[in-house]
Amino acid sequence: AVSRLDLAQLGGRIGGSGVGGTFAGAAGKLADVPLLLSGGQGQWQVSGGKTSVTGALTVADEANPSRFYPLATRDLRLTLVGNDIRATAALTDPETGTHVTDVAIAHALDSGRGRAVLDVPGIRFDERYQPEELTRLTVGVVALVDATLKGRGEIGWGPEGTTSSGTFSTEKANFAATFGPVTGLTTTIRFSDLLGLETAPGQQADVDQIQAGLDVFDGRVRYQLLPGLRVKVEAANWPFAGGELILEETILDFSKPSEKRLTFRVVGMDAAAFVQQMEFSNISATGIFDGIVPMIFDERGGRIANGHLAARPGGGVVSYIGELTDKQLGTYGKLAFDALKALRYSRLTVDLDGSLDAEFLTRIQLDGIAREPTATPVGGSGISGMVASRALGQLAKIPFEFNIAVRGPFRALIGTARSLHDPTQLIQSVLPPEWRDQPTTNVPKNTPESVQPAESEDMR
């Protein structure tokens, strides 16, 4: 049952209730289970054919490098009656005292068979305790975790060897990942090999929101945990702006720092729904788009490598509905600007390339015809103005071709585009925490939006 047992100190006494004493410095290993026991100390007693042990010890992973950091217990209880060994203990993080798991062990000396049941009633990850304090495996994978993990595992051993399995789950977990914040992750992992951290295919996770530059909601991911700390993403999809965002099959290696490559396909994205979802108040558009967005994540962050979106045949309309702030555009500049007020295009492509947090390049190519030429005279008043306007109206029917390149930090560009009309997000981000999510505009007293009702006294 015990492949190795070391005792630094053993004391005993004989009394009316049997033989008993104390022990210290106990260390050992149970059968073929890859767990190391050390620092054992406490009391022992033999009475009426029953041996009882109570005390404390430390449990560590035999693997090198370890899969989890040492855990401690101060309520070890072990009994030996005939060939039957039973033991229970509550394991906690020795530094924070966080309760990790309750362990129950049963072993038969005559057959050499036994099992250990690990019950995890609920590990709470928050600002006081994070996964990296339990295991090194989450370092560089997740951070700022707000979640509860619960489940049950079982390790069995005998002459044939050691087996392990388990089921663990979390609901509505929030955390930060390399690609951005994740909100509302719910999954149940069924391990076919708990010690090896392996699962069968077809594990499923539901995610409320992922913020990777472009926010996606209500996603579903199918995955498998492979040997060697690798994750196979079998499939993933999200509803996206009236269409679908699909993640192609890939394998992510978490055993060492390495690039994580994710290839997303955009199918049937509605431009109008996308503009509305992104809160671009100065732009309106129609059209259906497809494309591919390859993304690479590593310890430096994430980047898009040669992403491409293209409108389906039939085109659509793109309109800039903001105000013209530069009045010195000249005749042709004004013509181009008015064309963008309502441009029906037959071809529109968007190329994306660069870092999500640093230099990012967006290339836009479109061609089309302005649907509604300007009705405002641009050449002065009187007959000359009317002639100029009519000439420009005829010019507006000539197909335009736009080739636009935009450089800048991707997330900053998105935020800037959203704030052109409403600077709320920019203001909120620099406010003290207790002032955030409050109105950023002055509300007249006694209006429906005012905190003070009309019939109350003036409290100012």
Side-chain angles (χ1 to χ4, degrees), residues 67 164 191 193-198 226-229:
R67 290 159 293 192
S164 62
F191 289 96
D193 181 355
L194 179 60
L195 293 173
L197 299 178
E198 300 176 28
L226 301 175
L229 302 180

Side-chain angles (χ1 to χ4, degrees), residues 46-196:
V46 179
S47 177
K50 177 181 179 180
T51 302
S52 301
V53 176
T54 60
L57 58 77
T58 298
V59 179
D61 189 5
E62 186 181 33
N64 185 23
S66 64
R67 290 159 293 192
F68 66 90
Y69 296 119
L71 300 173
T73 180
R74 295 184 177 277
D75 65 351
L76 170 67
R77 297 182 181 275
L78 182 148
T79 62
L80 169 61
V81 179
N83 290 315
D84 188 26
I85 296 177
R86 305 276 175 169
T88 61
L91 298 179
T92 63
D93 176 75
E95 295 185 5
T96 65
T98 301
H99 182 200
V100 175
T101 182
D102 295 316
V103 180
I105 297 174
H107 183 82
L109 292 173
D110 52 356
S111 67
R113 299 182 185 279
R115 70 170 188 161
V117 175
L118 295 82
D119 180 31
V120 179
I123 306 174
R124 179 63 186 149
F125 296 115
D126 53 22
E127 65 276 3
R128 294 181 297 274
Y129 188 67
Q130 285 290 294
E132 62 261 27
E133 298 176 79
L134 174 63
T135 173
R136 66 174 185 85
L137 302 180
T138 63
V139 176
V141 180
V142 296
L144 303 175
V145 178
D146 179 11
T148 298
L149 176 68
K150 59 183 179 180
R152 186 177 185 273
E154 184 172 323
I155 303 172
W157 58 87
E160 302 85 1
T162 302
T163 61
S164 62
S165 61
T167 300
F168 296 86
S169 62
T170 187
E171 294 184 6
K172 301 299 182 181
N174 304 324
F175 56 89
T178 305
F179 46 81
V182 176
T183 304
L185 171 70
T186 298
T187 188
T188 296
I189 307 176
R190 295 174 175 84
F191 289 96
S192 55
D193 181 355
L194 179 60
L195 293 173

Side-chain angles (χ1 to χ4, degrees), residues 22-23 103 159 161 180 238 286 302 318:
T22 61
F23 68 94
V103 180
W238 294 262
T286 64
V318 61

